[in-house]
Amino acid sequence: SAGDFWASKLATKGKTDPGVLFAQFAESVEIGLYDYFSGPYGSYSTVQAAKAGISSIQPQKSMTSSETKLAKQGVLNLLALLKARYQSEECKRQLAILFCFLVGDLQPKGEIRRLLAEADNASVSGIIIADSGFGYAYNESPKVSVDSPPAIGNEYHVAKFEPVLNNTGLITSIDVVESGSGYISPPDVTIVDKGGNGRGAEACAILDRNGQVEEIIVLNQGKNYVEPIVRIISPAKSKSKLKIVHAKAKANLSYAVGSIRIIDGGDGYSLSDVPALKIEPPLNTLDLLAANRTFYEVNAAADGKAASAQISKMQSSSEYVNEKQVTPIMLADIAKSCTKLLPNAVRPSPTSDGTYKVRGMPAPPVYGGFFGEQLPEGFKALDPIFGGVGATPVVKVALSLSTSEYTRLASAGAISTILVRTMLVPLEVIKTKIQLGSDTEFLEAAESSPSTNNAPRKKEKNYVPVDFTESGSTLVAIEKIVETDNHVDPDRDKTSVGTLKYIQTLADLRGVPSLFQSADITFLASLVFGSFGFGTTELFRRTFTSTFYDETTAVNGTQTYIFLAAATVACILTCLVATPFEVLRVKSMARVENSGINRVLGDYMDSHRNPGTSDFANASLYKQLSDFDIKLDFLPFYTSFIPVVTRELPFSITKFLAFDFFAKIICAALPINVQVGVGTAGLCVSAISGAFAGVAGALVSHPADLLLTLTSGSSKVKGESSSDSEESNGEERTDFGKVVKDLISQDGGVLNLFVGLPARSTFFFFVIGLQFFLYDYAKNVFGVGSDDLNLVLDVFYAVRQGLLESG
């Protein structure tokens, strides 16, 4: 897969910076290290386990995690598999160099040590004595142990050594040969050398209760003894009947390790990691810290000391015996190409903390900070020699999704839209009342506040939305031209009434529940817009990408155009489904008093029939749906289809473009790398970008929204007679051109098309911001977030498929 990736990218040469491509590829490698063989079939530590896992019938849940433990296991798994594939000396050296660039706990220190040992296959060829020690016996042969070779395998074996002992001329101990008898006090002990060279040794005898010599302790070891003779004074004659027997003793010389003979130098050792030697201490060494020692034992000379030695020379058949340091010429050479390797003679060296590093490599530059240099866009790390690591890996959006995945996407859209739009119904109610101007009681109460400008309100003849008055048990529509306050009065627009003031006034006038007028119908409309809108957008985006996008021939911006085309088709289809719900929602909000969906739908059905012939307003919802007529009731909904589309389409396109624009600006300004919609920081970027995108979309689509509100909230336009209504069998007639012309002709001109914009902008600032936040959050919860639906380049696929092939 890695080879296919580079082949396809070479075909698009010149369209993407190779440095960026390599950085994305490097991030794919990093992700692979974190999750290598921790995917569909579990985590494996050996080739055999991996082969068994690949052929498993039942896959396991992916263990992808950023935790160090799993990441380290991924590194170890990869290294084990690469070692199985690449077995030459040169390859092992390059693997050691590669993995030594990992830092901290992620560096496989033991594996690097083994790689170097296998490549060197060195043996011990020289030893120097650091301390000869003393106290060894003449016939004693202390064991010399050495570290096992780091290289693993039957072909590698540990080195073997034999110590050579030399006489030190010191008396290390005295053994009592005959205890004698008849001693009343400890006899004097003298030590002489047969050759006359030794001198200075001192010792004292210790008697038991029977007058026998129990032990002789060396007080001074003397020097230069070759053949020591121990002389013990005979017991003095006494009147007692004790038997007098002369005691005898033998002196032991102290020997030291003079040299170590190499019997077998072993193999599998590393030239840069010399094994340690350990020599056993003398067997009869006195424990000077032992408890309950006598006076003489406390003052006795030390009996012995362990020798120490170290390996001075290692021998290897490798041509790269001498370690080379990285030079500026080498660095300049490898910086020219992303695939250039360091020379084999350059080898990692162990450091004091046990990790490995290549000598001469400069420290990578530090980016970030308030005044520091910032990383280029698209990078999360950058090294001037080896290139960078991308903020994102090489990814490809999954074009084939299951029904379950589309359902979860639609559910995430529905939940986010329902929660936000239902919660912010008060802003939508205020916006609608301001646009229609039919609720004069509420508007006058808000504008008569002492904090507002009480300019005289202009009176003129104009058409008004349908109002209802109760007559008996029915609602009779008032269809006449009245002299009323102009709902787009420029004087009113110039007042300083704010959105919060309108909300407070409505709550004081009719209670807090009035702020949630039409919440039930808003819930249904949000359900359709959210589920159908988001789901179809994802569907068409993938379908169009699969059909029209060719990575090798596409030009920059092609994917953006495809996405906008998908959003356009999805928006039109969504409007087709949602228009009836949107019309009912506007009609419900146009009423002065709050009414449920049952009453709004019943009034709508009655308005399309001759007066007095029906009473659906008071009928049950079941009755309304049973008698719902396609021609009389359903088709009239779509007289508002064009306003709905002209509102939603520019809003959606602007929203997505503005979201992408603001998200890029915010991510570029942050000191850390953030993936939009992923993690806490990513979700916050989604919310902020969505909020600004909502304002931009509201500004572009507001004239269409005003037109939809006026036409859907009105029953007729100025000049329409009652006979006209009868001829149309109660259908609403809307002349959109006349409405626009009438608005522009009034004082204020084109600005009349933006009546209610502050309230609507505030509404969508919160709606879209929260909607994007909740949508991305819900997608992550449902397992259909960006990370779940993106296909990441599997750079290790070829390694897994050819584990047993020679490198």
Side-chain angles (χ1 to χ4, degrees):
S1 59
D4 293 339
F5 165 76
W6 288 115
S8 64
K9 290 303 178 184
L10 289 176
T12 60
K13 186 176 181 182
K15 295 178 182 178
T16 306
D17 183 357
V20 175
L21 287 178
F22 183 81
Q24 294 175 349
F25 184 79
E27 174 65 2
S28 298
V29 173
E30 186 168 310
I31 290 178
L33 293 178
Y34 272 70
D35 197 31
Y36 194 73
F37 271 0
S38 298
Y41 300 98
S43 179
Y44 317 117
S45 57
T46 65
V47 175
Q48 292 75 14
K51 291 172 64 179
I54 292 174
S55 60
S56 296
I57 298 176
Q58 182 65 40
Q60 303 296 323
K61 180 177 175 61
S62 175
M63 296 171 59
T64 300
S65 172
S66 60
E67 295 180 2
T68 302
K69 183 177 181 181
L70 291 180
K72 188 173 183 179
Q73 186 60 52
V75 171
L76 294 175
N77 290 340
L78 171 63
L79 182 52
L81 294 168
L82 291 177
K83 284 177 60 178
R85 183 180 177 111
Y86 303 105
Q87 299 182 358
S88 69
E89 175 189 334
E90 292 78 7
C91 289
K92 290 177 180 178
R93 289 184 182 279
Q94 288 297 332
L95 288 177
I97 293 173
L98 171 65
F99 282 87
C100 84
F101 288 120
L102 292 172
V103 296
D105 292 336
L106 287 182
Q107 187 183 99
K109 298 178 281 292
E111 293 298 325
I112 294 175
R113 181 168 175 256
R114 279 187 279 274
L115 280 169
L116 294 174
E118 291 174 13
D120 295 337
N121 195 20
S123 58
V124 178
S125 59
I127 297 176
I128 58 173
I129 302 299
D131 188 337
S132 297
F134 62 88
Y136 292 99
Y138 171 75
N139 58 351
E140 185 178 352
S141 180
K143 181 180 178 180
V144 180
S145 58
V146 62
D147 292 339
S148 298
I152 298 176
N154 295 329
E155 66 270 30
Y156 307 111
H157 62 280
V158 68
K160 296 179 181 180
F161 310 101
E162 181 181 73
V164 177
L165 301 181
N166 295 330
N167 180 20
T168 63
L170 304 177
I171 305 297
T172 184
S173 63
I174 297 177
D175 296 334
V176 178
V177 178
E178 292 184 13
S179 298
S181 62
Y183 289 98
I184 300 175
S185 62
D188 293 335
V189 179
T190 59
I191 305 171
V192 297
D193 185 30
K194 187 176 181 180
N197 295 320
R199 66 188 63 220
E202 298 177 0
C204 68
I206 298 177
L207 300 180
D208 62 12
R209 64 180 62 187
N210 297 319
Q212 296 178 321
V213 177
E214 180 181 38
E215 183 179 3
I216 297 177
I217 296 176
V218 178
L219 298 177
N220 191 330
Q221 294 177 319
K223 60 181 179 179
N224 299 329
Y225 286 91
V226 178
E227 293 184 62
I229 299 174
V230 179
R231 294 175 178 174
I232 303 175
I233 302 299
S234 299
K237 294 182 178 180
S238 65
K239 298 180 180 180
S240 64
K241 298 180 179 181
L242 293 175
K243 183 179 180 181
I244 298 175
V245 179
H246 183 75
K248 298 179 180 180
K250 176 185 176 183
N252 297 316
L253 287 171
S254 170
Y255 285 81
V257 177
S259 63
I260 296 178
R261 184 184 302 116
I262 300 175
I263 299 176
D264 186 343
D267 51 25
Y269 291 101
S270 170
L271 292 173
S272 57
D273 193 2
V274 179
L277 290 176
K278 184 177 181 181
I279 305 174
E280 281 186 332
L283 295 177
N284 295 321
T285 300
L286 177 65
D287 184 0
L288 297 180
L289 298 180
N292 301 319
R293 290 177 293 142
T294 65
F295 167 81
Y296 297 105
E297 289 175 329
V298 170
N299 292 278
D303 282 1
K305 177 185 177 183
S308 62
Q310 60 188 29
I311 295 174
S312 60
K313 188 177 181 181
M314 302 288 292
Q315 185 175 358
S316 173
S317 59
S318 172
E319 60 178 305
Y320 306 107
V321 174
N322 297 321
E323 177 183 332
K324 290 186 178 180
Q325 182 171 321
V326 173
T327 63
I329 297 178
M330 292 181 188
L331 297 178
D333 185 43
I334 62 176
K336 296 177 182 178
S337 173
C338 294
T339 58
K340 193 82 172 180
L341 300 177
L342 285 169
N344 281 322
V346 174
R347 59 183 291 135
S349 301
T351 61
S352 58
D353 61 358
T355 60
Y356 286 80
K357 65 180 298 183
V358 175
R359 291 193 305 161
M361 287 296 301
V366 177
Y367 293 92
F370 189 77
F371 296 103
E373 184 179 358
Q374 300 300 315
L375 281 167
E377 182 179 357
F379 290 84
K380 76 174 186 181
L382 182 60
D383 188 281
I385 300 171
F386 295 105
V389 178
T392 58
V394 180
V395 297
K396 182 179 181 181
V397 176
L399 300 181
S400 178
L401 299 183
S402 65
T403 303
S404 172
E405 288 170 327
Y406 278 120
T407 302
R408 282 178 279 163
L409 284 169
S411 300
I415 291 174
S416 61
T417 305
I418 289 172
L419 288 176
V420 175
R421 296 201 68 165
T422 302
M423 181 173 61
L424 297 178
V425 162
L427 289 174
E428 184 74 358
V429 170
I430 297 301
K431 183 269 300 181
T432 303
K433 290 183 178 295
I434 293 174
Q435 288 179 332
L436 289 174
S438 58
D439 194 346
T440 56
E441 180 187 14
F442 158 66
L443 295 175
E444 289 176 352
E447 295 173 9
S448 62
S449 171
S451 61
T452 61
N453 180 15
N454 295 318
R457 298 177 60 189
K458 187 175 181 179
K459 300 281 188 175
E460 64 176 73
K461 291 184 178 181
N462 192 16
Y463 66 92
V464 297
V466 64
D467 199 0
F468 297 92
T469 181
E470 292 199 18
S471 177
S473 60
T474 63
L475 290 178
V476 181
I478 301 176
E479 296 179 345
K480 63 180 180 180
I481 302 172
V482 298
E483 186 177 274
T484 184
D485 296 323
N486 184 9
H487 53 278
V488 289
D489 186 350
D491 290 335
R492 176 188 303 169
D493 192 55
K494 293 177 182 177
T495 65
S496 58
V497 181
T499 302
L500 293 178
K501 180 61 179 177
Y502 278 121
I503 293 175
Q504 180 182 352
T505 301
L506 185 59
D508 294 340
L509 187 64
R510 299 187 185 127
V512 174
S514 64
L515 294 174
F516 292 89
Q517 183 173 332
S518 186
D520 51 352
I521 306 179
T522 299
F523 175 88
L524 295 176
S526 300
L527 176 63
V528 175
F529 272 112
S531 60
F532 204 80
F534 284 98
T536 53
T537 299
E538 295 289 347
L539 173 62
F540 286 115
R541 179 158 70 104
R542 285 168 170 76
T543 302
F544 289 175
T545 300
S546 176
T547 305
F548 303 112
Y549 183 72
D550 184 354
E551 187 177 25
T552 60
T553 60
V555 297
N556 290 335
T558 301
Q559 286 184 307
T560 301
Y561 297 138
I562 289 176
F563 178 74
L564 293 180
T568 299
V569 175
C571 181
I572 294 173
L573 291 179
T574 301
C575 290
L576 191 64
V577 176
T579 291
F581 298 95
E582 187 66 7
V583 170
L584 289 178
R585 187 186 68 83
V586 175
K587 286 184 175 294
S588 176
M589 287 190 174
R591 304 168 79 95
V592 174
E593 298 291 343
N594 186 25
S595 299
I597 184 174
N598 191 8
R599 187 60 176 268
V600 175
L601 178 60
D603 288 337
Y604 170 79
M605 294 175 65
D606 287 336
S607 68
H608 296 136
R609 290 163 176 78
N610 293 326
T613 61
S614 62
D615 187 17
F616 288 110
N618 295 310
S620 65
L621 184 60
Y622 175 78
K623 173 66 174 175
Q624 293 170 348
L625 295 179
S626 299
D627 294 345
F628 198 80
D629 187 87
I630 298 296
K631 182 178 180 181
L632 292 178
D633 303 315
F634 183 71
L635 294 180
F637 277 129
Y638 288 92
T639 58
S640 298
F641 176 69
I642 298 300
V644 171
V645 172
T646 55
R647 180 193 69 179
E648 292 297 325
L649 188 56
F651 180 84
S652 297
I653 299 301
T654 304
K655 175 182 67 176
F656 286 120
L657 291 176
F659 177 84
D660 186 60
F661 173 77
F662 287 113
K664 287 182 178 179
I665 291 179
I666 295 173
C667 289
L670 293 175
I672 59 175
N673 290 288
V674 176
Q675 184 177 352
V676 179
V678 178
T680 303
L683 291 174
C684 291
V685 171
S686 291
I688 298 172
S689 303
F692 288 112
V695 175
L699 178 65
V700 172
S701 63
H702 190 78
D705 178 75
L706 177 64
L707 185 64
L708 174 65
T709 303
L710 294 176
T711 56
S712 297
S714 302
S715 287
K716 57 179 291 181
V717 295
K718 181 179 177 181
E720 181 181 54
S721 65
S722 59
S723 60
D724 293 333
S725 295
E726 293 173 0
E727 290 176 1
S728 62
N729 196 22
E731 289 186 10
E732 294 180 1
R733 298 180 57 194
T734 54
D735 187 343
F736 304 126
K738 184 174 178 59
V739 174
V740 174
K741 183 178 180 181
D742 183 52
L743 287 172
I744 296 177
S745 66
Q746 298 177 41
D747 293 341
V750 177
L751 293 180
N752 293 331
L753 297 176
F754 294 92
V755 171
L757 178 60
R760 187 165 183 261
S761 297
T762 304
F763 174 74
F764 280 112
F765 178 85
F766 292 106
V767 164
I768 304 303
L770 290 173
Q771 188 179 48
F772 272 102
F773 177 87
L774 292 175
Y775 179 59
D776 285 332
Y777 181 80
K779 285 198 303 180
N780 293 330
V781 171
F782 291 156
V784 287
S786 300
D787 287 345
D788 300 296
L789 300 184
N790 280 341
L791 303 178
V792 179
L793 176 67
D794 185 0
V795 296
F796 301 130
Y797 175 80
V799 179
R800 286 199 298 269
Q801 297 303 313
L803 295 179
L804 303 181
E805 297 178 6
S806 59

